[in-house]
């Protein structure tokens, strides 16, 4: 059984979520706590410009660049959605529920954008792709609200079931069940995790989604002079919980007691008795350092990524595509021929590439230059291996067989900016300037900051966090440096080594681990 561990680092400005399989980092998600224009967010936007040649429009949703909305992404029920919106603006009292609303005729699939939209018009749109590079958000107007088991489609009546549910009997059961309980004018997509769920669970979730959609129109105000957020998608943490959290995890460890309680309650609901896998981290080291995540991030996000027996990948990114070059490095085996050696390296590279695609969330076109192989059966084996390994990737993708030049092309859906973490560090002695101060005075600089802190705060009990090399220097010997510093300033200091710090980076925290601002 493959061990799966979820490590969640909740900071003051950002939440980082690491998924480990067999202790190896395979996915890393980071979310700013004030993120905007996330996939799934629904906005009230203004039509800025109609582009008949593209059969599309540019929409102002409040982002620095106008968002793009194509006619084919309007959705068949566009007129129904906006008639309901107009009624909400003109209403006096409570809004009529959607199931009592009379739908408008569907728009023509082969129509023109200018027949439906006008410049200055307010439109309800949903983010389908987050802003990436120089491009604004990509929008759709076929609104959907996702829950754990169901996806709600307002002003539709279709009920569909995930193709990943293999049992025909279960598909028929779920489809009949949802059809019998869903309100009129709402369509539903039944997700894979709904398999085996009882009617009470699905009914409660369906009611919550309907209420969430209708409540937004009840809360609508007539002041719509500026684009604004209409219905917020769940934040990344809740989305992770909704989409991938299941009892197959070996452990889920969080350093935030409120979030830990929320996740424990969620696991208790979906699998009573399994909430013991949720653990609150109380260690003194940063949670990613404790579980070795920081070290893996440093090793995996560079331009060059090593894997087995000295082989390595070179990963290059351009505006249009990503290029991955497979190199055998110094790998050599006297008892194997060139063809066999190439196959072995390529198969190991395929595993690492599949991991890198998930880890960096690389999207668009990915071109991989594998080591040349002559045998067709070896090329087929590599293609089959890559396809099998990528089967666990939740993001939509397509893999093409190797070309005669040994190139493989993968297209992978891109809805968010690629995870880009710089692992290069500034020169620790000159800080990128080319000039350095006297190294003998470095500890004096730390002590000066300590004196500044002592003047500002009442506590005299500190933790000094430094790079492991500096920690060793400050704590060695019978009369270590840090103890002398503490004695001179009549305070208590504990030195803690932090792997993620630059060589001369340091900070003071209180005994609870909260950073003390020196400025």
């Amino acid at each position: 059984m493959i061990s799966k561990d979820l490590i969640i680092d909740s900071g003051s400005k950002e939440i980082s979520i690491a998924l480990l399989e067999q202790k190896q980092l395979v996915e890393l998600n980071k979310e700013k706590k004030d993120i905007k224009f996330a996939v799934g967010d629904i906005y009230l936007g203004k039509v800025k410009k109609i582009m008949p040649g593209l059969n599309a429009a540019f929409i102002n949703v409040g982002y620095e660049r106008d968002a793009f909305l194509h006619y084919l992404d309007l959705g068949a029920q566009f007129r129904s959605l906006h008639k309901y919106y107009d009624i909400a603006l003109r209403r006096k009292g409570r809004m009529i529920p959607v199931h009592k609303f009379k739908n408008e005729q569907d728009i023509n699939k082969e129509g023109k954008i200018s027949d439906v939209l006008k410049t200055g018009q307010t439109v309800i749109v949903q983010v389908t792709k987050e802003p990436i590079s120089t491009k604004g958000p990509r929008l759709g107007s076929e609104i959907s609200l996702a829950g754990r088991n169901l996806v709600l489609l307002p002003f539709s009546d279709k009920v569909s079931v995930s193709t990943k549910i293999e049992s025909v009997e279960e598909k028929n059961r779920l489809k009949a069940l949802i059809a019998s309980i869903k309100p009129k004018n709402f369509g539903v997509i039944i997700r894979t995790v709904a398999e085996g769920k009882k009617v009470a669970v699905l009914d409660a979730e369906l009611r919550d989604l309907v209420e969430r959609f209708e409540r937004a129109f009840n809360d609508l105000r007539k002041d719509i002079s500026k684009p604004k957020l209409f219905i917020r998608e769940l934040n990344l943490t809740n989305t992770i919980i909704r989409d991938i959290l299941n009892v197959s995890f070996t452990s889920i460890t969080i350093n935030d007691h409120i979030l830990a309680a929320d996740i424990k309650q969620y696991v208790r609901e979906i699998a009573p008795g399994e909430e013991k896998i949720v653990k609150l981290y109380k260690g003194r080291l940063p949670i990613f350092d404790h579980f070795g995540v920081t070290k893996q991030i440093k090793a995996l996000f560079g331009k060059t990524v090593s894997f087995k027996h000295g082989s390595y990948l070179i990963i290059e990114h351009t505006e249009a595509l990503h290029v991955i070059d497979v190199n055998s490095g110094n790998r050599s085996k006297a008892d194997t021929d060139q063809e066999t050696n190439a196959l072995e390296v390529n198969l190991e590279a395929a595993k690492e590439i599949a991991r890198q695609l998930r880890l960096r969330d690389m999207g668009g076109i990915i071109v991989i230059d594998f080591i040349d192989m002559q045998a067709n059966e070896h090329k087929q084996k590599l293609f089959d291996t890559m396809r099998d390994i990528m089967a666990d990737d939740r993001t939509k993708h397509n893999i093409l067989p190797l070309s005669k030049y040994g190139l493989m092309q993968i297209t992978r859906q891109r809805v968010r900016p690629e995870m880009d973490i710089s692992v290069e560090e500034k020169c620790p002695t000159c800080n990128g300037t080319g000039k350095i101060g006297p190294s003998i005075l470095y500890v004096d600089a730390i002590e000066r900051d300590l004196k500044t802190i002592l003047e500002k705060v009442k506590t005299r009990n500190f933790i000094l966090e430094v790079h492991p090399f500096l920690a060793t220097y400050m704590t060695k010997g019978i009369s270590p440096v840090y103890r002398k510093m503490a004695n001179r300033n009549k305070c208590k200091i504990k030195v803690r080594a932090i792997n993620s710090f630059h060589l001369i980076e340091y900070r003071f925290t209180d005994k609870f681990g909260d950073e003390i601002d020196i400025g």
Side-chain angles (χ1 to χ4, degrees):
M1 180 179 175
I2 297 177
S3 68
K4 290 186 177 182
D5 302 290
L6 203 63
I7 313 297
I8 303 177
D9 179 13
S10 179
S12 58
K13 298 180 180 179
E14 186 177 68
I15 294 178
S16 301
I17 303 168
L19 174 59
L20 278 61
E21 293 181 359
Q22 299 294 82
K23 305 303 180 184
Q24 283 197 319
L25 181 65
V26 294
E27 285 189 28
L28 180 66
N29 296 285
K30 290 178 177 285
E31 179 193 7
K32 301 288 185 185
K33 290 193 172 179
D34 58 349
I35 189 170
K36 296 180 180 178
F37 307 103
V39 171
D41 281 351
I42 300 172
Y43 281 83
L44 293 177
K46 292 279 188 181
V47 178
K48 191 77 173 289
K49 191 175 183 180
I50 303 291
M51 304 293 290
L54 298 174
N55 205 16
F58 285 101
I59 312 295
N60 178 11
V61 291
Y63 186 65
E64 59 190 35
R65 292 179 179 270
D66 292 333
F68 184 78
L69 174 64
H70 194 275
Y71 181 84
L72 295 177
D73 296 323
L74 287 176
Q77 298 84 30
F78 180 84
R79 289 195 177 98
S80 298
L81 173 65
H82 281 274
K83 182 180 178 182
Y84 192 75
Y85 167 73
D86 288 338
I87 292 172
L89 284 180
R90 298 194 304 267
R91 81 185 191 281
K92 293 180 180 178
R94 288 195 62 81
M95 185 62 182
I96 62 168
V98 173
H99 71 269
K100 292 183 179 180
F101 172 78
K102 184 179 179 181
N103 276 359
E104 293 287 291
Q105 185 177 3
D106 289 354
I107 64 172
N108 184 357
K109 290 182 179 179
E110 298 179 357
K112 295 180 179 180
I113 194 83
S114 55
D115 296 335
V116 182
L117 296 181
K118 293 181 175 59
T119 303
Q121 178 182 346
T122 299
V123 287
I124 300 175
V125 288
Q126 187 166 29
V127 178
T128 58
K129 284 187 179 180
E130 292 178 10
I132 297 173
S133 186
T134 59
K135 299 175 182 177
R138 178 75 183 255
L139 306 175
S141 204
E142 192 167 14
I143 304 302
S144 63
L145 275 73
R148 174 163 176 80
N149 300 290
L150 308 171
V151 178
L152 186 72
L153 307 172
F155 308 105
S156 171
D157 269 317
K158 67 180 181 180
V159 176
S160 57
V161 187
S162 168
T163 56
K164 292 184 179 180
I165 297 179
E166 298 178 354
S167 169
V168 176
E169 292 81 3
E170 180 63 5
K171 281 186 176 181
N172 292 337
R173 181 189 78 89
L174 288 169
K175 197 166 186 177
L177 189 159
I178 294 299
S180 68
I181 63 173
K182 79 171 187 65
K184 183 183 176 184
N185 292 338
F186 282 107
V188 176
I189 299 173
I190 303 168
R191 308 182 74 178
T192 308
V193 291
E195 187 172 8
K197 293 293 191 299
K198 295 181 179 179
V199 63
V201 174
L202 300 179
D203 183 56
E205 182 173 310
L206 182 59
R207 290 174 184 273
D208 286 344
L209 291 172
V210 170
E211 181 186 353
R212 186 174 165 219
F213 179 75
E214 293 184 339
R215 185 170 61 244
F217 288 89
N218 276 311
D219 295 341
L220 193 61
R221 297 291 178 264
K222 291 187 177 182
D223 180 20
I224 50 166
S225 56
K226 295 181 180 179
K228 64 179 181 180
L229 184 64
F230 187 46
I231 302 175
R232 181 182 292 280
E233 165 67 324
L234 298 175
N235 61 38
L236 179 60
T237 309
N238 287 331
T239 302
I240 289 286
I241 294 171
R242 180 188 71 196
D243 292 346
I244 73 168
L245 190 57
N246 55 63
V247 292
S248 67
F249 281 110
T250 309
S251 68
I252 302 166
T253 310
I254 311 104
N255 63 350
D256 182 286
H257 69 279
I258 296 176
L259 185 56
D262 289 343
I263 294 178
K264 183 170 286 191
Q265 177 60 31
Y266 188 83
V267 174
R268 187 179 292 119
E269 291 173 2
I270 64 172
E274 294 294 331
E275 62 271 16
K276 61 182 179 294
I277 66 173
V278 182
K279 302 169 185 175
L280 176 63
Y281 176 73
K282 298 180 179 179
R284 294 181 176 178
L285 282 177
I287 187 170
F288 274 12
D289 282 11
H290 177 80
F291 287 97
V293 176
T294 300
K295 184 176 180 181
Q296 291 194 56
I297 290 172
K298 293 283 188 181
L300 293 170
F301 275 91
K303 177 180 175 181
T304 302
V305 178
S306 300
F307 55 102
K308 285 191 175 181
H309 306 298
S311 303
Y312 61 94
L313 307 175
I314 295 178
I315 303 175
E316 298 274 8
H317 309 285
T318 71
E319 188 73 19
L321 52 79
H322 308 276
V323 180
I324 302 177
D325 185 33
V326 179
N327 293 272
S328 59
N330 57 9
R331 175 192 170 105
S332 63
K333 287 188 177 181
D335 57 342
T336 59
D337 57 65
Q338 203 309 356
E339 180 77 4
T340 304
N341 191 56
L343 175 63
E344 291 178 359
V345 173
N346 285 340
L347 292 177
E348 289 296 336
K351 296 176 185 177
E352 184 59 40
I353 289 168
R355 179 187 179 194
Q356 288 289 330
L357 296 186
R358 291 174 64 187
L359 186 60
R360 302 183 188 216
D361 200 13
M362 292 164 63
I365 300 172
I366 301 106
V367 177
I368 307 165
D369 184 8
F370 284 104
I371 298 173
D372 290 342
M373 298 183 295
Q374 302 302 317
N376 287 332
E377 60 267 28
H378 289 169
K379 293 180 180 180
Q380 185 63 41
K381 184 175 183 180
L382 176 58
F383 172 67
D384 292 340
T385 299
M386 178 61 83
R387 190 172 53 189
D388 292 343
I389 296 170
M390 291 282 290
D392 291 334
D393 193 337
R394 299 191 310 277
T395 302
K396 291 180 182 178
H397 60 272
N398 185 44
I399 305 171
L400 298 181
L402 268 74
S403 71
K404 66 178 182 178
Y405 300 110
L407 299 177
M408 178 181 288
Q409 180 177 306
I410 299 175
T411 54
R412 191 171 183 272
Q413 186 180 27
R414 177 166 62 176
V415 297
R416 293 186 176 92
E418 177 194 344
M419 180 68 66
D420 183 20
I421 297 176
S422 176
V423 296
E424 295 180 349
E425 300 175 357
K426 286 184 179 179
C427 170
T429 52
C430 73
N431 201 30
T433 64
K435 299 178 180 179
I436 64 171
S439 56
I440 196 170
L441 301 180
Y442 180 62
V443 173
D444 292 346
I446 295 177
E447 189 164 359
R448 280 198 303 273
D449 284 344
L450 174 62
K451 291 179 184 296
T452 301
I453 290 171
L454 287 169
E455 293 173 358
K456 293 175 60 177
V457 299
K458 295 180 179 179
T459 183
R460 305 192 75 80
N461 194 347
F462 303 100
I463 297 171
L464 173 61
E465 296 182 338
V466 293
H467 186 278
F469 289 172
L470 189 59
T472 301
Y473 166 72
M474 297 192 73
T475 56
K476 69 178 182 179
I478 298 174
S479 182
V481 171
Y482 84 94
R483 192 171 295 163
K484 292 178 181 177
M485 187 185 300
N487 290 338
R488 283 195 297 270
N489 293 280
K490 298 179 181 179
C491 63
K492 290 184 179 180
I493 300 175
K494 184 174 182 179
V495 177
R496 180 182 296 164
I498 305 295
N499 291 328
S500 58
F501 276 18
H502 302 316
L503 186 60
I504 59 172
E505 182 180 359
Y506 66 90
R507 70 175 181 182
F508 284 98
T509 74
D510 59 25
K511 62 182 179 181
F512 303 107
D514 295 324
E515 183 176 0
I516 299 172
D517 185 16
I518 299 173

